[in-house]
Structures are given as structure tokens and as C-alpha cells.
Amino acid sequence: MRFTVSSLVSNGPDPVTGRQLTTREKLANVIEQAVLAERLGYDGFGVGERHGEPFVCPAPPVLLTAVAARTERIRLLTTVTVLSILDPVRVAEDYAMLDQLSGGRLELIIGKGNDPRHFGLFGLDEAHQWEHLAENYGLLHRLWREEKVSWQGTTRPPLDEVTTYPRPLQDPIPVWHGSATSEHSTDLAARFGDPLFSANSFHPLEKYAALVDHYRERWEHYGRDPREARVGTSFGGLFLARRSQDAVAGFRPYWDAMFGSAAGRHNNSPFTSLEDALERGSALVGSPQQVIEKIHRYHEAFGNEVVGIGVDSLTESAQQEQLELFATEVAPAIRRTLPTPGA
């Protein structure tokens, strides 16, 4: 099993202390998270793309370049790159440059985006978001694999024998498809033979498991070896303590803030309380043994090879404490019983 840490770079008031970081402080905090994650042995660190408050990272390649300068080994992820609203030519250039600067450590996670403000902000019709994503990815896929690309579509002007520079250091840059709500993303991933990354945050296991199952079904439909389908999954929060009741009490104000936010309301979560979310959802809250058991339960349903966690909403001291506890108490036990395929 591989373990990643990611941040949406949301910068609101801390629900416990009420303190809000400045934008500069928040960006510095995210970079320090990545440095700590590498020191603790995590496999990857990701940042998400959002356009509008309370998020302060509209440009993941910029922030990940700063992370690359402070780290040496850890893989760099985007969680996600909102490809439905972006020019694939610019995406090809920006992320190839990041791949070069990082020494070939980039893994892109693409998606149509989970913020309803994106399309209006960029003058696009939300009704065509999936068509935009599929067309833009088809072009990006070619630009990273071919030279002198000629192309014509609906999302940008035509191309005539275009080769983007710089070329990626990796051949090609790995691309995952973010999956949260729709079979459009699972089909697109299977069609191109790419891995799937489940959001797995605001709804019960069964909803996300159905999307993973659809991905595997479409993978075989396109004539691919089912053993080669790959899945990663995020988890909806992390809070560990020796006693489970202390973990629940510590996480409660962060859960209340998250599910009461605009993002929480937009995702129409069916959970009625924190206790309900812990029973039916993916939040890794409890004793180390409880968290280990939950990761195993999700692995049985998803067959995932990556576990993604986040501590972004916690205070800086709690972030460090939680990342250290997970790295020392949970990750080693999971790696012993669920080794990474091919490792």
C-alpha cells in the first residue's frame, strides 16, 4: 500500500482557536506539510485546484514547484487538476515543466471539478462539463505522447503540427482520474487505460464502491486485463488517539465545520451526525487499531493500492501529531498486510 497526504489549501478560521492564517502563512504551512510527509516516509503529497474562497491554490503547478524545491523523493500529486476548464496546451506545458524541475516525480489526478463556481468563472457552460473534460484529456493525452499534433475540437482553437515544450521527463507523466459522483469519469479512465482515484469523502462506502465496480467493468469492456486496473482512494478526515472517545471529541469541531461549509452542503452528504459518518463513512477517526480495520474494510471493497489522507483543517501542531501517529502506528501495519503491488 502507498500512502499520500493532500491539501485543498482551504484557509478559513480554525474551528477550535478561531485563528485564520494569512495566505502567505497558509501556503508556507502546506509546503511544511510536504516536507514533514517526506521525512515520515509517505509516498506522495498532493494539492488541489480551486478558484475562489476559502481556497488559495488556483495554480497547483506553482505550489508544487515550491514543494519540489524543498523535497527530494516524495511523489507530487494534483488533487485534482480541473481539466474541464483548462487549456490542454497550457496544462501540457506547465506540468511538463514541473515534471522536469522535480526530477520526474509528478502524478496528475484530473477531474471535472467539484466546485460549481468554476464554469461560470471561466465563461463555460456547466451542462457540458463532462464533454469538456473528455475532449481536453484526449488532447492532453496526445500532446504528452506525440510531436507535431494536429487537432480540431470544440474547447479551443485547432492545432496544426504542434509540439509542446518542454517535453515531460517521464514518458509519459502518470495520470489518474478523480472519481466522486459520476460514471463519466470511471468510463473515461477505463477507456484510456488509466488508474482511478476515488474521492470517498461525503457519502457511504457503497456509493463509491459502485463507481469503482463500474470502472473495473468498463476496463474489461475495453478489452483490458482486469489484473492491471488500479485504484486509489482518499479518506474523509484523520484524527487518531489512544482512546477512541478522545479521537471523536478531538475531531468533532472540524467535522462540524466541514459539513457545515458550502462544500459540505454542495456534496449533499446523507450523514446526520459525526457518529453516523464514522459508522457509514470513510473518516479515519479513532484508535490506531480502529483505523487499521477501517482501511482494511475499504480495501476489501475497492481493491485500492493507495490510501490518501488529509490533515489540512487541523491546527499546525495537530497536523504534525496526526501525520506522525499515522506514519508510526498505522502505515507500517497496513504495509505488512497489504504490500504495494510490484514493490
Side-chain angles (χ1 to χ4, degrees), residues 102-294:
S102 68
R105 289 189 278 145
L106 176 63
E107 297 189 27
L108 213 64
I109 303 179
I110 64 166
K112 60 92 178 170
N114 192 35
D115 191 323
R117 300 173 294 181
H118 286 163
F119 287 87
L121 181 63
F122 287 89
L124 302 173
D125 183 355
E126 186 176 1
H128 299 293
Q129 56 188 329
W130 292 111
E131 293 93 330
H132 281 229
L133 176 62
E135 184 173 296
N136 286 349
Y137 182 56
L139 176 54
L140 177 64
H141 191 270
R142 290 187 61 192
L143 290 170
W144 275 346
R145 288 165 174 78
E146 303 174 28
E147 298 183 0
K148 296 184 177 180
V149 173
S150 294
W151 175 91
Q152 187 166 353
T154 63
T155 59
R156 57 149 294 122
L159 301 177
D160 183 21
E161 295 193 345
V162 168
T163 302
T164 56
Y165 290 99
R167 306 302 292 165
L169 182 58
Q170 299 176 92
D171 184 21
I173 294 170
V175 175
W176 299 69
H177 293 247
S179 170
T181 60
S182 172
E183 293 181 348
H184 289 286
S185 56
T186 52
D187 182 81
L188 187 65
R191 191 189 323 162
F192 279 91
D194 295 328
L196 188 78
F197 211 104
S198 175
N200 190 39
S201 295
F202 286 96
H203 293 269
L205 178 152
E206 292 76 15
K207 176 173 182 175
Y208 299 108
L211 289 168
V212 171
D213 289 344
H214 182 259
Y215 164 68
R216 296 186 186 279
E217 291 166 6
R218 298 306 290 172
W219 184 275
E220 293 193 60
H221 168 81
Y222 289 114
R224 305 186 187 281
D225 186 338
R227 294 171 298 181
E228 296 177 355
R230 300 172 59 206
V231 174
T233 181
S234 297
F235 283 81
L238 173 69
F239 208 101
L240 291 161
R242 300 298 176 192
R243 300 194 314 158
S244 60
Q245 55 266 47
D246 293 336
V248 173
F251 188 66
R252 188 177 300 280
Y254 299 103
W255 187 89
D256 289 343
M258 179 170 60
F259 277 77
S261 68
R265 293 190 298 272
H266 170 68
N267 281 279
N268 298 314
S269 175
F271 301 136
T272 58
S273 66
L274 173 57
E275 286 71 18
D276 182 35
L278 296 181
E279 176 66 27
R280 298 194 293 137
S282 68
L284 301 176
V285 176
S287 69
Q289 185 58 39
Q290 287 175 314
V291 167
I292 290 168
E293 291 171 0
K294 177 170 278 191

Side-chain angles (χ1 to χ4, degrees), residues 53-65:
E53 64 178 357
F55 308 100
V56 293
C57 182
V62 177
L63 183 51
L64 286 175
T65 297

